[in-house]
Amino acid sequence: MEAVDEIARLKAERRAVILAHNYTRGEVQDVADFTGDSLELARRATEVEADVIVFCGVWFMAETAKILNPDKIVLIPEPSAGCPMADMITGAQLRELKAKNPGAKAVCYVNSTAEVKAECDICVTSGNAEKVMALFGPDEKILFVPDQHLGGHIAGLLGRDYTLWPGYCPTHAAITVAAIEAARNAHPGAPVMVHPECAKDVRAAADERLSTGGMCRFARESSAQEFIVGTEVGILHRLRKENPEKTFYPVSERIVCPNMKKTTLENLAESLRVMKTEVTVPDDIARRARHAIEAMLAVK
Ligand code: 13P
Ligand code: SF4
């Protein structure tokens, strides 16, 4: 409770806004001004009037907020909160891939470093990837990095063939078809929602393949009363809070992103108290990465 009060006081003093991803700890989501998926958070970051943004999530998300707000202070409470998938391709590796594929369009999942975004024509999130990728014609050569699973999912939906970088999310890789079948047997009739970062067989075993924001919408709008949730367990807090009359079962309680759990009420309060850790992006990289992010945000 002390930390919650301190956060409220410091937030007002610093003219700060707190943005949190759907996977963060429930108590962090509860003190945030806005909780959402990567796309919703990026859009929200373009609307901030406060002087300071405290980003509760992982580094690439805070970096995206900074790129969209070069004149604001963006803080991340725990700077070691990275995304292992984002680190599976470097700017140099992408430059090499582009050199081998002249004329190809480079597309990155927003789960990527600013340096990688700076090399890309456009970004996508799991919430808008199908719409964004539909902009490309059937004859265009596409290099999709770093997530082979999201890229494979969209290529399948649109009937295209992309060059996929072999990156993946270690947290979603732990979701198995056997676990989905076990959950279906335990809760017959409950629709299964999985994140498109899951492997192909897991996506095929599910009923819905959705971003975390898409899962929140589906749960709200569906007439089903019970749902099986195949993604990071942090989303359950929001699903249960927004739909108290419905029941949500995780495919497994062990689907945890350790980096998303690094933000706590204590380090969030500390972050506002001492104004750390400030996210910075070199100007040239920020300018080029902004181009890719803004191209994505222009797709309504
Ligand atoms: P969403 O954009 O669906 O919230 O996903 C972000 C993420 O990191 C999933 O692992
Ligand atoms: Fe990265 Fe996976 Fe964690 Fe999302 S859940 S932040 S993709 S490691």
Side-chain angles (χ1 to χ4, degrees):
M1 197 58 203
E2 265 174 41
V4 172
D5 292 341
E6 190 185 8
I7 290 165
R9 180 175 57 76
L10 288 169
K11 208 175 63 145
E13 264 174 46
R14 304 286 194 202
R15 284 189 32 86
V17 67
I18 300 174
L19 304 183
H21 187 265
N22 288 326
Y23 292 159
T24 53
R25 294 170 185 273
E27 61 271 24
V28 169
Q29 296 185 31
D30 289 344
V31 296
D33 296 287
F34 180 78
T35 302
D37 70 9
S38 308
L39 179 62
E40 292 161 346
L41 288 164
R43 286 206 189 286
R44 192 58 175 231
T46 64
E47 295 159 5
V48 167
E49 281 174 12
D51 300 334
V52 178
I53 299 172
V54 188
F55 207 104
C56 305
V58 292
W59 183 266
F60 76 82
M61 297 178 176
E63 206 174 46
T64 301
K66 178 64 186 177
I67 291 166
L68 291 169
N69 290 282
D71 300 329
K72 293 193 195 297
I73 294 172
V74 177
L75 304 175
I76 184 163
E78 176 45 67
S80 73
C83 167
M85 183 211 286
D87 294 331
M88 287 180 189
I89 185 166
T90 63
Q93 286 172 311
L94 179 52
R95 281 191 289 278
E96 200 179 314
L97 183 67
K98 283 166 62 178
K100 285 187 191 143
N101 293 276
K105 296 281 192 266
V107 180
C108 61
Y109 187 19
V110 73
N111 296 38
S112 52
T113 62
E115 201 193 346
V116 164
K117 289 186 178 80
E119 295 294 333
C120 288
D121 295 283
I122 196 162
C123 299
V124 300
T125 77
S126 53
N128 65 6
E130 186 179 358
K131 207 181 250 187
V132 173
M133 297 310 288
L135 298 176
F136 294 104
D139 298 330
E140 277 178 295
K141 169 105 180 131
I142 305 290
L143 311 175
F144 192 99
V145 305
D147 187 14
Q148 59 181 303
H149 298 306
L150 178 65
H153 173 56
I154 302 300
L157 287 177
L158 296 176
R160 302 281 160 83
D161 188 15
Y162 304 152
T163 297
L164 301 173
W165 191 258
Y168 64 95
C169 163
T171 299
H172 286 87
I175 300 177
T176 62
V177 173
I180 290 185
E181 281 167 2
R184 277 200 198 274
N185 286 335
H187 312 291
V192 178
M193 313 186 277
V194 300
H195 199 275
E197 286 175 18
C198 292
K200 188 173 184 181
D201 57 346
V202 171
R203 299 195 307 269
D207 299 305
E208 304 291 331
R209 291 137 289 269
L210 298 164
S211 71
T212 60
M215 289 183 189
C216 292
R217 272 187 296 283
F218 181 77
R220 192 166 55 237
E221 289 163 13
S222 168
S223 57
Q225 291 301 303
E226 296 189 318
F227 301 82
I228 296 166
V229 183
T231 192
E232 211 276 349
V233 294
I235 187 79
L236 292 162
H237 177 77
R238 185 165 161 204
L239 287 169
R240 289 171 177 153
K241 192 169 156 181
E242 290 181 356
N243 305 278
E245 73 295 356
K246 297 185 178 181
T247 310
F248 299 91
Y249 306 104
V251 164
S252 159
E253 292 282 2
R254 291 197 302 273
I255 307 303
V256 176
C257 174
N259 287 290
M260 284 286 186
K261 301 300 181 243
K262 285 185 178 171
T263 306
T264 61
L265 288 180
E266 287 67 34
N267 62 25
L268 172 52
E270 168 82 358
S271 174
L272 279 162
R273 200 182 306 128
V274 300
M275 296 294 278
K276 74 165 192 158
T277 294
E278 200 174 335
V279 177
T280 57
V281 185
D283 283 349
D284 177 52
I285 291 181
R287 183 180 49 73
R288 292 188 294 133
R290 192 177 307 120
H291 173 78
I293 299 167
E294 285 178 348
M296 167 184 88
L297 293 177
V299 181
K300 297 288 183 231

